[in-house]
Amino acid sequence: QVQLVESGGGLVQAGGSLRLSCAASGLTFSNYAMGWFRQAPGKDREFVAAITGSGGNLYYADSVKGRFTISRDNAKNAVYLQMNNLKPEDTAVYYCAARRRLGGSYYIGSNYEYWGQGTQVTVSS
């Protein structure tokens, strides 16, 4: 049974930083690309960042480029999202997701097979 468990969310002031973690179990982690998505109240879920299984390719939404960094540790079955210079518009529930399938956009949520429960990030102005 695949499980993805996010942690590290919280309340932070604008300009601050948070580091989200996602612990994976029940899968051969290095075979899966990992992504972070977020959903703000009243809005659709949106792509934030993704990393391929080897960590060799990274993808970012334009809105977070230069501020967020995705990374992974395959020895620990974990993926991280370092978020710097946070803005109020980054407030959302953040989800990690896993995909093994090849092909298709990393930016689309429906291309991911497994999802975590999410962690709340709130940025105050």
Side-chain angles (χ1 to χ4, degrees):
Q1 180 182 356
V2 175
Q3 281 194 314
L4 302 176
V5 180
E6 302 95 336
S7 62
L11 173 64
V12 63
Q13 288 189 328
S17 298
L18 282 175
R19 187 191 194 212
L20 304 184
S21 299
C22 174
S25 61
L27 74 171
T28 303
F29 187 67
S30 59
N31 288 346
Y32 285 76
M34 301 297 295
W36 286 98
F37 290 76
R38 66 187 182 187
Q39 188 166 21
K43 295 188 176 182
D44 292 335
R45 181 180 62 194
E46 65 173 354
F47 170 80
V48 175
I51 185 169
T52 53
S54 65
N57 290 294
L58 310 179
Y59 306 86
Y60 293 98
D62 287 344
S63 59
V64 307
K65 278 181 184 175
R67 300 189 299 122
F68 290 12
T69 303
I70 188 170
S71 62
R72 66 189 295 156
D73 185 336
N74 286 347
K76 295 183 178 180
N77 283 13
V79 63
Y80 309 100
L81 186 68
Q82 177 67 44
M83 306 186 294
N84 297 329
N85 190 22
L86 282 160
K87 304 176 180 181
E89 51 264 42
D90 294 318
T91 295
V93 177
Y94 283 70
Y95 299 91
C96 73
R99 57 172 278 177
R100 183 168 185 179
R101 63 187 66 177
L102 300 177
S105 172
Y106 287 94
Y107 296 79
I108 299 174
S110 59
N111 287 336
Y112 291 76
E113 290 125 41
Y114 302 105
W115 292 82
Q117 293 299 307
T119 186
Q120 176 71 47
V121 172
T122 303
V123 184
S124 63
S125 58

